[in-house]
Amino acid sequence: MTLDRSGTQGTGWGRLGRLAVGAPIVSTVAALLAATPAHAHVKWFAPYVVGAAPAPISETLANGWFWMGIVLVLVFFAVTVVVERSPAGTTIGRVLDRFTSPLWLRSDDFMRAIIGAFFVAIFAVGGVYLTPDLQTPNEWVSWLQLLIALLVFSRKTMPLAAAGIIGLWVIALRDYDFFHLLDYLALGVGVAGYLALAAFPESKYYQYRFAVLRWGVAIALMWSSLEKFAYAEWFHPLVEERPFLTFGMPRDTFIPMAGVAEFTMGFGLLWTALIRRLSAIALIIIFTAAVYPFGRIDLVGHALIMGTLFLIATDPTPSGLKLRGLVPAIGSVPAGLLAALVIIAGSYWTLHGAFYDYGAAKPVVTAPDGELLTHMPNAEHPHGMAVPEITAQ
């Protein structure tokens, strides 16, 4: 017989303990089923026009499936908060630490290796800035990315690698719209910030290097998830070509719930330690599962995010709000999620409206195979393709 922390007798954790452990696991599995195919970046595989008018935010707010997804996530997070503050939470943390501590002890070596391998892979792919959909005919860009890979292995040169990442994003502005490049800004700043901080172990800011990286990934995931609400039609070709991805769910049910799953798990990376680690583990499984149907481009494009997620899952340090009472801790979840939705979604729709004139007549840009493009190609920057014929709307 054993005594739990409240002083009552029980065998092991007892039935309530087992339920407390099982609830977040079941909720995580449910999130996986809802979101697995959603994390293939649509701009790498399907036609899209970045300047097209997004669906009004009111359509999302009137979508019952959106709210069902939000309710399910809030239940998952609330249960996880309760578990985390129970004896079961301590045990789960110890189990996670036991399996992940070897990686956490070499966390900096691991992250630098991931960053280096990513830029070697991007160099091998060739003809892109930082990510598969930012194409360029300039060969020197690929060689610069190989140089960045070499610079990450010395603390003396890591700040140069950080400057190179930001520099490539700035250079890409000459070929791509600012709003389009916002898809990659948070992640780029997160990785560059990590390299800059990790280069100086004696600095008082050194301890924040992984937090900067985590925030970059979290914001990048929340930002990209909004495409599933603003441009659900971009995902229709993926669903129609690979209907098995929806697990039998109707297309118009699956896409908004997948968007909720991606946004909320990105939000979860910023919350308490157990929510953060479970969200990271779920995302690792999701991104890994997406590699099979979408191939090597998906793996290369998401390598930095996946590598960071491994570190987030292994990180045993506390995070999120430090609230003493259980009720305030549970109540902070919907409040925090609402704040994230207002800030991120509000910025997305506001900035898009500021950068694009929906009322102006625009030419429809198509590739030779009829695929819609994001920007006007020209003779100087053909982006790996022949300049197509442009027809007016």
Side-chain angles (χ1 to χ4, degrees):
M1 304 292 286
T2 60
L3 291 175
D4 63 20
R5 292 187 178 181
S6 64
T8 58
Q9 283 189 331
T11 58
W13 297 332
R15 179 176 297 177
L16 291 178
R18 289 192 292 272
L19 288 174
V21 175
I25 296 175
V26 171
S27 300
T28 301
V29 171
L32 296 180
L33 294 177
T36 297
H39 287 72
H41 201 298
V42 68
K43 290 179 179 173
W44 303 343
F45 303 103
Y48 68 101
V49 179
V50 75
I57 189 65
S58 57
E59 289 188 10
T60 296
L61 297 178
N63 189 316
W65 297 112
F66 169 81
W67 291 110
M68 179 177 289
I70 292 292
V71 169
L72 290 174
V73 168
L74 290 177
V75 171
F76 161 59
F77 281 175
V79 170
T80 306
V81 168
V82 174
V83 171
E84 191 168 12
R85 289 169 173 260
S86 72
T90 302
T91 303
I92 293 172
R94 289 173 179 169
V95 171
L96 288 173
D97 292 345
R98 184 181 307 165
F99 283 100
T100 62
S101 59
L103 178 57
W104 180 244
L105 292 174
R106 302 294 300 273
S107 53
D108 283 296
D109 293 338
F110 173 80
M111 196 63 225
R112 288 158 69 182
I114 289 293
I115 296 171
F118 169 78
F119 280 103
V120 169
I122 288 293
F123 164 76
V125 170
V128 298
Y129 297 104
L130 300 171
T131 185
D133 76 300
L134 301 181
Q135 298 182 2
T136 175
N138 298 309
E139 184 67 16
W140 62 267
V141 171
S142 296
W143 289 99
L144 177 56
Q145 289 171 137
L146 179 62
L147 177 60
I148 290 174
L150 299 176
L151 293 175
V152 302
F153 291 102
S154 170
R155 293 194 188 277
K156 295 181 179 179
T157 56
M158 283 163 61
L160 295 177
I165 293 171
I166 300 300
L168 280 173
W169 188 91
V170 173
I171 293 170
L173 285 170
R174 71 176 189 169
D175 293 340
Y176 293 90
D177 292 344
F178 178 82
F179 188 88
H180 184 180
L181 292 180
L182 287 178
D183 286 358
Y184 309 105
L185 179 60
L187 179 60
V189 170
V191 174
Y194 163 77
L195 289 171
L197 295 177
F200 303 100
E202 69 284 357
S203 170
K204 63 180 180 179
Y205 300 109
Y206 179 75
Q207 61 181 317
Y208 301 114
R209 64 197 187 284
F210 290 124
V212 169
L213 192 58
R214 177 163 53 88
W215 274 81
V217 169
I219 293 172
L221 289 172
M222 288 188 283
W223 183 269
S224 65
S225 73
L226 298 177
E227 292 175 350
K228 296 172 182 64
F229 309 114
Y231 300 102
E233 66 275 10
W234 288 359
F235 296 83
H236 293 175
L238 296 182
V239 173
E240 291 165 2
E241 292 170 9
R242 302 173 175 88
F244 64 90
L245 296 176
T246 66
F247 300 99
M249 296 173 64
R251 182 191 69 187
D252 295 335
T253 299
F254 169 77
I255 292 175
M257 294 195 72
V260 170
E262 184 175 358
F263 187 96
T264 53
M265 280 188 280
F267 168 79
L269 300 179
L270 304 177
W271 221 241
T272 61
L274 186 57
I275 290 177
R276 182 195 74 217
R277 297 177 84 171
L278 289 178
S279 296
I281 291 170
L283 287 165
I284 289 168
I285 298 172
I286 289 169
F287 279 116
T288 303
V291 172
Y292 175 75
F294 295 103
R296 287 177 295 172
I297 290 296
D298 188 77
L299 176 62
V300 171
H302 285 137
L304 286 177
I305 291 179
M306 294 174 71
T308 303
L309 289 172
F310 274 99
L311 288 187
I312 295 172
T314 63
D315 185 356
T317 57
S319 63
L321 300 176
K322 297 177 176 61
L323 301 174
R324 291 186 178 182
L326 179 60
V327 172
I330 294 175
S332 68
V333 175
L337 183 57
L338 175 61
L341 283 167
V342 170
I343 294 171
I344 303 295
S347 298
Y348 188 98
W349 266 265
T350 300
L351 288 173
H352 198 283
F355 280 102
Y356 299 103
D357 182 5
Y358 307 143
K362 302 181 183 67
V364 177
V365 186
T366 58
D369 62 358
E371 178 180 331
L372 297 176
L373 301 177
T374 59
H375 60 284
M376 284 284 199
N378 58 59
E380 293 184 1
H381 306 294
H383 304 295
M385 60 165 285
V387 178
E389 180 180 354
I390 300 173
T391 58
Q393 283 185 337

